Amino acid sequence: GAVPGTLATISSVRMGREMTELVAKVTPLTRDLTDLVPGIFLSNLDNGDYLSFNGSTAFSSASMIKMPILIAFLQDVDAGKIKLDEMLSMQQADIAEGSGDMQYSTAGSEFTALDTATNMIIHSDNTATNMIVRRLGGNEALNQRFRQWGLQQTLLRKPLPDLEGLNTTSPKELVSLMALLSDGKLVSMKSRDRAFDIMRRTVTATLLPSVLAPDTSIA
């Protein structure tokens, strides 16, 4: 059956006070950036206070599109449409260059749905992502789900790796989605815990983990 609260949309995410003093600190750090546009959205889930720097701007999503895909996957697990231990068969069309090692397996190789979804996140595996997207009904089925959640800038247009940058999202939409996930509004509490457990196991440690205290928990 349906999970309580699956009809929640990002418009229900609580917005508190703008962190103006933090904006004043962040803005000078972006002045010398000539070759890229920074987009930042930060939310304190305890009180809704937020920082937005181009937060509502649509950007090429690159691998960040994998996060809403994971949530859609877990929704279908909750609804009984997908079993975590069902076997997914890799097709030639799924195999994608870039992140992840599943591309080196042969077409016809089988992986459990859970292992495939986990690889999609912890190794940012593009082949795994394409397999999960296909299992969930393809791009348009996912875009329809994203719209139901209230997302307008988060769109899946191309299989990965999306070298043209046609898949899009925004910092604010992703953070709002994380807030809904954290509140257990999109998936069951069991699936919420599974999502954060998977995200905490992400292997790449060159970005946030490299500048935060070693014992910081990052999902």
Side-chain angles (χ1 to χ4, degrees):
V3 179
T6 43
L7 296 177
T9 67
I10 60 167
S11 60
S12 66
V13 173
R14 181 167 154 218
M15 297 293 278
R17 192 182 58 85
E18 187 177 13
M19 303 177 191
T20 44
E21 64 291 341
L22 204 49
V23 175
K25 286 182 182 174
V26 167
T27 306
L29 302 176
T30 65
R31 289 217 175 102
D32 296 331
L33 297 174
T34 52
D35 57 339
L36 50 83
V37 176
I40 305 165
F41 197 88
L42 182 72
S43 176
N44 180 336
L45 296 185
D46 292 331
N47 56 20
D49 289 358
Y50 68 93
L51 176 160
S52 181
F53 193 94
N54 295 328
S56 297
T57 302
F59 290 88
S60 295
S61 59
S63 286
M64 293 308 298
I65 199 73
K66 294 164 183 168
M67 200 196 83
I69 294 171
L70 176 69
I71 295 173
F73 171 80
L74 290 169
Q75 272 193 346
D76 279 6
V77 169
D78 287 338
K81 295 178 185 171
I82 292 178
K83 291 192 164 44
L84 292 174
D85 61 353
E86 74 176 69
M87 301 306 291
L88 302 184
S89 181
M90 181 195 289
Q91 295 182 4
Q92 191 64 43
D94 298 324
I95 297 175
E97 294 181 349
S99 306
D101 290 337
M102 283 172 63
Q103 61 182 302
Y104 303 117
S105 301
T106 52
S109 299
E110 297 203 328
F111 302 86
T112 67
L114 177 58
D115 284 345
T116 307
T118 301
N119 277 333
M120 171 174 76
I121 301 298
I122 70 174
H123 298 293
S124 196
D125 196 301
N126 290 333
T127 301
T129 306
N130 292 336
M131 290 170 66
I132 294 292
V133 168
R134 183 162 55 79
R135 179 63 182 82
L136 293 172
N139 292 356
E140 200 36 58
L142 278 164
N143 287 335
Q144 199 174 338
R145 188 104 54 115
F146 299 164
R147 285 193 290 273
Q148 285 171 353
W149 300 342
L151 304 176
Q152 295 176 326
Q153 295 162 306
T154 303
L155 282 163
L156 191 55
R157 296 183 176 97
K158 286 274 297 202
L160 294 171
D162 168 31
L163 300 178
E164 297 94 332
L166 296 175
N167 298 333
T168 58
T169 190
S170 73
K172 184 179 181 183
E173 287 198 348
L174 288 174
V175 168
S176 300
L177 201 54
M178 291 299 290
L180 281 185
L181 177 66
S182 178
D183 278 349
K185 293 276 177 63
L186 290 170
V187 297
S188 65
M189 283 305 188
K190 186 176 178 182
S191 284
R192 180 202 72 167
D193 291 346
R194 189 184 299 282
F196 282 120
D197 175 59
I198 291 171
M199 289 164 63
R200 277 193 289 268
R201 287 159 53 201
T202 296
V203 172
T204 304
T206 49
L207 299 170
L208 282 174
S210 67
V211 294
L212 295 174
D215 58 347
T216 307
S217 176
I218 303 171

